Amino acid sequence: MPGDIKCEEITRADIEKMGEYLVGTCTSILMACDALDLPEDPDWDDKLLDVNVERCKRCEHWFESCMLEFIEADNGGSCDDCLTEEEKDEFGKT
């Protein structure tokens, strides 16, 4: 039908490609979509969790999920560089 918006399907390979591209950067999802020629999707953050990639809630850099410590007050993970001294002690990082 005219006017219908066709959404491109995002594959597991696309998600893995996006995750590999983002880890170690603070690149926005929109910039990554453009660079990788992938469709924009409001659910990229959730999809990236499927391949264990997420942003540090404090500095916005992308990491493998296992590299982040869950901070309840932030409702998400924080990287070692963003942890306070007290948090580092709590997680045995000192």
Side-chain angles (χ1 to χ4, degrees):
M1 298 181 93
D4 283 347
I5 297 173
K6 182 181 178 191
C7 294
E8 294 180 48
E9 184 175 333
I10 296 173
T11 66
R12 174 76 178 199
D14 292 337
I15 298 167
E16 289 172 354
K17 183 173 156 181
M18 176 69 86
E20 289 173 11
Y21 183 83
L22 290 172
V23 169
T25 74
C26 59
T27 302
S28 73
I29 288 177
L30 293 178
M31 289 177 65
C33 286
D34 188 47
L36 298 172
D37 196 32
L38 292 173
E40 294 177 16
D41 186 307
D43 297 325
W44 267 114
D45 284 308
D46 290 336
K47 288 176 172 43
L48 287 165
L49 288 174
D50 292 342
V51 293
N52 298 312
V53 172
E54 61 187 299
R55 286 183 205 245
C56 170
K57 291 291 186 179
R58 295 180 179 174
C59 70
E60 299 280 313
H61 276 77
W62 292 95
F63 289 88
E64 292 180 10
S65 298
C66 65
M67 301 302 294
L68 301 174
E69 297 293 345
F70 182 79
I71 306 296
E72 191 170 336
D74 294 341
N75 194 31
S78 289
C79 68
D80 290 349
D81 290 341
C82 290
L83 295 174
T84 65
E85 290 304 315
E86 183 179 287
E87 290 165 342
K88 287 179 184 178
D89 286 344
E90 180 183 334
F91 293 113
K93 303 262 183 183
T94 55

